[in-house]
Amino acid sequence: MMPAFAAVLVLAAALALAGCTGSPPQSDGGKVKVVASFYPLYDFAENVGGDRVVVTTLIPTGVEPHEFEPTASDIRELSGADVFLYNGANMEPWADRVIESVGKDDLVVSDTSRGIALRESDEDGHHGEEAETEGGHSHEGGFDPHIWLSPALAKVQVNNIRDALIKADPEGKAEYEKNAAEYNARLDALDSKIMAAMANCTKKDILVTHATLGYFCERYGCLQIAISGVDPEAEPSPADLASIIDQARERNVSAVFFESMIDPRSAQTISSEINGSVLAFNSVHGLTPEESAAGEDYISLMEGNLANIKIGLGCG
Ligand SMILES: [Zn+2]
């Protein structure tokens, strides 16, 4: 992984020598060019930015962001941007290196986790097996990055995005403030709906494929059992699987929530061992092409998650 990144640095240096950086294109008919690292930030930025912005993501549709490594063309895209939004909390361990290699003084950079009390990454559910850190796409030993899955924390990300857009485009201040307030009202409604539903469930334990629900369960009072840690690439060992199956039986878990972008074999093994059902959980790391074509977004996917959680936990 490192040699590839070294090549990117060389290319970035070559671009700088050729005078391609440091001249903000401000293209797209005067619109603010926003690059978000991955989908949820794209969706939030579209809602806050409205007609004043053009938003793209570095991580393409259908790619699991934990596996993402930036390429030379990503560096080029960023060097033509006005704003770069990333999740922070170690979701993008490559962010600092990339920002540095872009070397664009007037690029407004926002770590959207700013102001959020971060959880240490929770190693429950994959004891013993450490993920490889080569290439920097694993978060073990750091923070749990899955803040966007708690709508209350997504609001903080939205406010950080609003502030970044205002910094890049002060003339749009009133519009960004209005749009952010409107979108945050929708997030408040989603939060209240989840809160009300989760207050009345027969079960509290949620068995998920990777540890995405730390912040969600902190807010709504559930207990997460994760097949792998915060990094979905950390495959559980047979001993880990056996321990998860024991926990699931002990706690009378009857549903396994599985994510479409992750290898389903462990989830299937566990569900057949506990004689439980398998329900979809969308951790909104990115949209599949089908979800994109169907017009799904963060809020609609979270509504779908709530419907399945109500089934899996027997909520009233
Ligand atoms: Zn994740």
Side-chain angles (χ1 to χ4, degrees), residues 46-263:
E46 284 255 296
N47 277 284
V48 177
D51 292 339
R52 299 186 73 89
V53 302
V54 174
V55 192
T56 55
T57 55
L58 283 187
I59 300 173
T61 299
V63 171
E64 220 303 328
H66 295 279
E67 295 169 20
F68 177 75
E69 274 294 311
T71 64
S73 74
D74 295 324
I75 306 264
R76 271 197 301 274
E77 182 166 354
L78 262 183
S79 66
D82 301 305
V83 179
F84 174 50
L85 306 171
Y86 67 108
N87 186 72
N90 218 16
M91 184 70 189
E92 306 91 343
W94 42 265
D96 286 347
R97 290 175 296 166
V98 165
I99 293 160
E100 198 179 322
S101 62
V102 168
K104 189 168 183 265
D105 291 341
D106 58 353
L107 179 66
V108 175
V109 174
S110 178
D111 171 347
T112 64
S113 73
R114 196 166 38 87
I116 293 174
L118 298 176
R119 293 166 43 86
E120 296 286 323
S121 53
D122 184 354
E123 296 304 296
D124 271 11
H126 74 146
H127 320 281
E129 198 170 18
E130 286 295 302
E132 290 292 316
T133 53
E134 187 67 28
H137 48 247
S138 125
H139 342 280
E140 97 283 348
F143 295 111
D144 177 353
H146 301 99
I147 45 183
W148 67 94
L149 289 168
S150 170
L153 300 181
K155 281 175 62 183
V156 179
Q157 295 189 283
V158 166
N159 289 339
N160 283 331
I161 291 168
R162 175 201 61 200
D163 293 346
L165 295 182
I166 291 172
K167 193 170 172 195
D169 175 26
E171 284 178 19
K173 186 171 186 281
E175 197 171 331
Y176 296 136
E177 284 174 344
K178 176 174 166 284
N179 291 347
E182 281 173 9
Y183 191 70
N184 278 342
R186 294 178 64 199
L187 292 178
D188 274 334
L190 176 66
D191 175 58
S192 303
K193 195 172 167 183
I194 300 172
M195 191 69 88
M198 299 289 288
N200 186 22
C201 308
T202 57
K203 296 171 196 276
K204 278 204 171 311
D205 297 283
I206 299 192
L207 207 167
V208 284
T209 37
H210 91 287
T212 51
L213 288 177
Y215 298 97
F216 182 96
C217 283
E218 198 169 84
R219 179 149 183 93
Y220 304 113
C222 40
L223 296 166
Q224 166 176 250
I225 305 173
I227 299 173
S228 66
V230 293
D231 182 349
E233 285 183 87
E235 271 297 301
S237 67
D240 292 335
L241 270 186
S243 142
I244 292 161
I245 290 164
D246 283 347
Q247 280 185 65
R249 285 192 180 127
E250 250 168 55
R251 301 203 212 167
N252 200 21
V253 170
S254 58
V256 179
F257 290 89
F258 100 99
E259 297 162 79
S260 58
M261 283 189 185
I262 291 178
D263 186 337

